[in-house]
Amino acid sequence: MDGTENAWIGKSRSATDRVTARLVAEYHAVLGTLRGPGEIAAGFHWCLAPDIAAREHLGRDGHPRPGLVLPKLPLPRRMWAGGSVDHHAPFAIGDEVERRSTVSDIVFKKGRSGRLGFVTVEHVHSVGGEIRVRERQDIVYREDPAPDASPRPPEPGEEWEPRAAWSVVPDATTLFRYSAATFNGHRIHYDAPYAREVERYGGLVVHGPLQASWMQNLAGEVLGRIPARFEYRGVAPLVAGYPVRVEARAGEDGALELRVRREEDGVVTMLGRASG
């Protein structure tokens, strides 16, 4: 860590996109029955103005090479760790959306699995200068696992009495379609040999923002509207092909607590909180 990464803090970039009927239909088709209220379901903003790079500018994981749109840290693996979403107003078909993205923080830590680098990116989606969605995205950079490493199995989550729940089996087709709708090239979502042999997952990995979209939409069904505030964080990888439950319960402060849980062993893969 030579400190040059800090030059990225405060660096911004902008991109524009249009909300089209086709893109909305694609996103809704990915969600299927796991869709809450609104003409355009919560989580749609992740389909807008994605980072686009030519093939020769991609890194080994299929994302734009580090140093182009995100900092180049001395750690090879990147994951979407969590974040927050504030909904100010809904999108409408035909909207011209500007997404302005700013790197706001870079922090290095030591975890059980080795060195970690955390990059925080603030995104603002606006239409005609009016904010529609404000988002904080937390990205974690990690070391490659040792060839003989045995990951510590996650513990099952506590017992819940959910107020509402959905069941889903995310399969390879779902992951491919979501990657296409969001122009997400990360190979852990569609390249099984890469996911298993390079990044050492048990199979294809379900996108963090897709799990977050399930939780936002379940919260919307309970609240009767897209939640004004939504926070989430990943706690364990979710491998495709296994049934999961998306659950919501009332929190002590009036907010909704949410989670995605593997049905087979009760392991929680993502936690969330919605209010407003």
Side-chain angles (χ1 to χ4, degrees):
M1 325 294 183
D2 58 11
T4 58
E5 301 87 2
N6 290 332
W8 278 81
I9 296 177
K11 185 175 290 189
S12 295
R13 65 186 189 279
S14 293
T16 58
D17 206 347
R18 179 186 289 272
V19 179
T20 66
R22 173 181 171 177
L23 189 55
V24 172
E26 289 175 353
Y27 177 60
H28 288 174
V30 172
L31 291 180
T33 59
L34 277 63
R35 179 183 163 192
E39 292 297 319
I40 300 177
F44 174 75
H45 69 283
W46 283 313
C47 299
L48 294 170
D51 295 323
I52 298 173
R55 183 183 180 89
E56 61 268 24
H57 297 310
L58 300 181
R60 73 169 195 184
D61 60 6
H63 273 315
R65 188 174 63 244
L68 294 180
V69 297
L70 286 172
K72 182 178 181 180
L73 304 191
L75 299 163
R77 301 168 69 200
R78 281 179 288 177
M79 293 180 63
W80 195 316
S84 64
V85 180
D86 293 301
H87 290 98
H88 292 255
F91 293 110
I93 291 175
D95 280 347
E96 287 281 353
V97 181
E98 179 186 22
R99 187 186 79 164
R100 185 166 182 80
S101 305
T102 305
V103 176
S104 61
D105 199 14
I106 300 174
V107 176
F108 292 99
K109 297 181 180 180
K110 184 79 172 179
R112 287 184 309 207
S113 60
R115 295 179 301 164
L116 301 171
F118 292 90
V119 175
T120 303
V121 184
E122 308 283 346
H123 302 288
V124 177
H125 292 76
S126 58
V127 177
E130 295 183 355
I131 295 175
R132 295 289 189 266
V133 171
R134 185 185 296 275
E135 175 194 2
R136 187 194 79 245
Q137 179 187 9
D138 301 326
I139 303 165
V140 61
Y141 293 64
R142 303 172 63 188
E143 296 176 312
D144 276 332
D148 58 349
S150 297
R152 179 179 176 180
E155 297 289 332
E158 63 175 291
E159 291 295 324
W160 270 26
E161 288 292 337
R163 179 174 172 181
W166 286 337
S167 294
V168 61
V169 182
D171 59 12
T173 301
T174 301
L175 270 58
F176 168 78
R177 283 153 65 97
Y178 187 73
S179 288
T182 58
F183 203 71
N184 184 336
H186 202 312
R187 294 168 64 187
I188 62 173
H189 305 307
Y190 60 86
D191 185 341
Y194 173 85
R196 291 193 180 98
E197 297 165 16
V198 178
E199 302 222 10
R200 305 299 294 274
Y201 292 109
L204 296 178
V205 179
V206 181
H207 309 68
L210 178 55
Q211 296 180 64
S213 294
W214 293 338
M215 291 193 293
Q216 285 184 85
N217 279 277
L218 180 60
E221 181 173 89
V222 174
L223 297 171
R225 61 191 179 280
I226 293 176
R229 175 75 173 174
F230 174 70
E231 302 166 90
Y232 65 100
R233 63 183 178 90
V235 292
L238 176 58
V239 173
Y242 299 96
V244 299
R245 296 257 295 176
V246 186
E247 300 175 332
R249 71 174 181 182
E252 294 181 355
D253 58 356
L256 282 177
E257 295 179 356
L258 301 127
R259 69 181 184 180
V260 178
R261 178 176 63 85
R262 301 193 310 225
E263 288 193 6
E264 182 180 43
D265 55 12
V267 167
V268 175
T269 61
M270 184 165 283
L271 293 168
R273 185 178 182 277
S275 59

